[in-house]
Structure formats: structure tokens, C-alpha cells
Amino acid sequence: MPTTLENWNPGKAENRHPEMTYEEKEKLFLEVKEDPRYEDFLYGCYECGICVSSCPSARFYDYSPRVIAQAMAREDVERIYDIISEDIWNCAQCFSCVRCPRGNNPGGLVTLLREVAVRNGLQETRDVLQGYSRVIYKVMLKGNQVSPDMLQPDFFPDWGPWVAQFSANMPVWRKAIPVDTLRGVTDAAWRTERKTLLELYTIWFETGNMDIIKEIDEGLYDLLAEVMQEELEDQ
Ligand code: SF4
Ligand code: SF4
């Protein structure tokens, strides 16, 4: 929507994403607002900043849970689109911000915004999640989180020279851990029973998670689906 003398509102954000129409942005906001959890996550905002003072991401990034609660409370569609296209990926989902005296849950609002961003396959979301594809692959296929063999210089460049040392000496490092069953194992953070894995694969398919992965990253979907379907057919 172009800014005119009639609709100019200094309290609302400017259009920083003209590639998307106001109506398209508003549709995303309404999708968040229609979520049954929304009413429990937002009651208004005192702008007191208590959530910011407890937020680890606000300490290290240009990020503020207060701005998110405020934008949602003001129904500032342009600002909400700025947030959905970037800020939401800076949240650690730790929920320290639920100490909000107004009863808000800014981290929960981020969860809703992320779900809408993923469901709508937003390009910014695809770009952000591409960097996590190896983590998603590992979590969904192995029932594990980040495993030792993922500590590679190209994946964790911010670790500097240490990560190259870790990856070069991984079997030696791994031998040093005190759990007998995992000595020498570098592709798993822990062992997951086959029965559990097959249950997880079934859950990923039945709950529509695999459809979401397909929407966001088709290559990753093909890799996961091939292995999962083969395993499920063999059981
Ligand atoms: S969301 Fe809650 S804690 Fe954060 S600024 Fe608003 S009222 Fe304060
Ligand atoms: S859930 Fe997100 S917004 Fe809330 S405190 Fe944690 S990092 Fe900050």
C-alpha cells in the first residue's frame, strides 16, 4: 500500500519489501492471528523491556522480543513482514521471555511466525533453513542432534582453527569420552533404537512434516524420503 497523507502513520513501519504486496503480507499476519494459540501468546504490550533484558538473542543480535510483541499488538503488517522475513531466525526459542508482566509469550509468537513462514515457503525462510539442512537431515534420519562428524570447518567456520583440529582428530577425541558404547562412533551423538527410528519416520510422514520439508527443500526431502521409505518397507 503506497504511503499517502491519509494513511501515513509514523508509528508504523515503512514498506521495506516492495516485492510483496500489502495484501500478501496481511494474509501472512492473519494466518498467524488465526492460530488458536495466538490469544494466549499476546495480551498487549507495556513496552517495559523486561523480555529484552532476559533474552539471550537480544544480547548478541540486532533482535528484540519487545519489538515483536509491539508489532503484533499494533497489527503493523509491514513491520511484521520484516520480522517474519528475518528476525524470527535469531530467536533461540528458550522462552526466558515468558516472564513478561503482561502475560505475553514473545517466543511463542516467534514459533507461530516461523510456522507460517515455513508453510508459505517464503524465499527468506528457504535461504535461512538451507544452512540447517545437515542438522535437519541428522535429526530426522538418525533421531540425533548435531553429531561429532558434523564438526567440519565448512559447517562451523565461526569456530576458527579449532574446528579443523577437532575434525582431523575426531576418532581420538571420541575415544576419550567415558561412554563405552559410543567409543569410536562419530556419526551419532547417542544411539537411537531402530524401533524408535521407524516410529519417528512414521510420525514425520503422518503429521505432514515431510510435506513441509518438500516445500522448503526438495533435494533434502528426496534424500530423507528415499532412506525412510526403504526402512519402513523393510520392517
Ligand atoms: S512483551 Fe511483555 S515484557 Fe516485553 S516489553 Fe511487552 S509487556 Fe514488557
Ligand atoms: S524465546 Fe526467543 S525471544 Fe524469548 S527470550 Fe528466548 S531467544 Fe529471546
Side-chain angles (χ1 to χ4, degrees), residues 65-84:
R66 178 185 62 80
V67 168
I68 292 175
Q70 208 176 36
M72 299 297 281
R74 289 181 179 175
E75 306 204 344
D76 187 343
V77 168
E78 294 291 356
R79 189 76 187 95
I80 292 167
Y81 188 75
D82 295 342
I83 290 166
I84 204 171

Side-chain angles (χ1 to χ4, degrees), residues 48-69:
C48 62
I50 288 175
C51 56
V52 182
S53 64
S54 65
C55 173
S57 298
R59 186 169 171 198
F60 295 105
Y61 302 113
D62 181 13
Y63 171 82
S64 164
R66 178 185 62 80
V67 168
I68 292 175

